[in-house]
């Protein structure tokens, strides 16, 4: 079966990669579906997130990375995806995911499979990683090395913008 692991991945974390890798072991094909940041305070562009995920999943031959334009349930219907796979960290994730799973099932009949996140990563979120990285904290335990580097570039960029709003950074 072909499944999809959807998310914003802003940025991709080891928690996401654990779910993607376990899906790749359990299913024939895995699409990592990258959503646009509609309601979140995003940091990386869609192109940046696609490129970081492609690099992070390069060792997984049955995984492909693709943007999701529009409804996830419609993407599944038009691309032959049999199920949506999502990670569950804690009870509040469940409330949110259950509602989305039931809505997606109602929209096109697509099933959702909820996988418990590895305990090691249960407290990790992209939102916290962004916040810590932008305040120069160490996030190297939670994301791949090349994501740490990309976060540092964004943090520097934001600092330069704050120091000289509207002007190009000189260093
Ligand atoms: O876990 P995230 O990062 O909040 O995932 C967001 C994503 C991309 C999975 C979600 O926003 C999504 O499904 N977007 C597509 C739009 C859609 O189908 N909305 C209706 C959901 S019932």
């Amino acid at each position: 079966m072909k499944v999809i692991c959807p998310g914003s991945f802003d940025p991709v974390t080891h928690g996401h990669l654990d779910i993607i890798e376990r899906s790749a072991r359990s299913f024939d094909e895995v699409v990592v579906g990258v959503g646009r940041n509609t309601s979140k305070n995003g940091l990386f562009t869609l192109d940046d997130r696609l490129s970081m995920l492609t690099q992070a999943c390069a060792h997984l031959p049955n995984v492909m990375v693709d943007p999701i334009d529009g409804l996830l349930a419609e993407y599944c219907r038009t691309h032959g995806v049999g199920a949506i796979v999502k990670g569950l960290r804690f009870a509040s994730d469940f409330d949110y995911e259950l509602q989305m799973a039931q809505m997606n099932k109602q929209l096109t009949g697509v099933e959702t499979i909820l996988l418990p996140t590895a305990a090691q990563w249960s407290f990790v979120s992209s939102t916290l990683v962004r916040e810590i990285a932008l305040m120069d904290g160490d996030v190297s335990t939670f994301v791949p090395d090349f994501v740490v580097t990309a976060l540092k570039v964004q943090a520097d960029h934001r600092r330069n913008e704050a120091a000289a709003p509207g002007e190009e950074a000189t260093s």
Side-chain angles (χ1 to χ4, degrees), residues 6-9 35 40 68 70-73 86 96-97 100 103-104:
S8 307
F9 304 105
K40 290 186 176 180
I68 307 170
L71 288 175
L72 175 59
K86 300 290 295 275
Y96 176 63
E97 295 300 343
M100 283 212 294
M103 182 58 82
N104 283 324

Side-chain angles (χ1 to χ4, degrees), residues 12-34:
V12 60
T13 68
H14 286 312
H16 294 133
L17 292 172
D18 171 63
I19 296 292
I20 294 167
E21 284 168 1
R22 284 159 62 199
S23 299
R25 283 198 292 274
S26 301
F27 301 101
D28 303 316
E29 282 179 73
V30 178
V31 179
V32 177
V34 186

Side-chain angles (χ1 to χ4, degrees), residues 10 13 18 24 26 52 54-55 81 100 116 148 154 158 162 164:
D10 191 17
T13 68
D18 171 63
S26 301
M52 285 191 281
T54 301
Q55 191 170 344
V81 174
M100 283 212 294
V148 174
Q154 287 293 331
R158 295 218 164 182

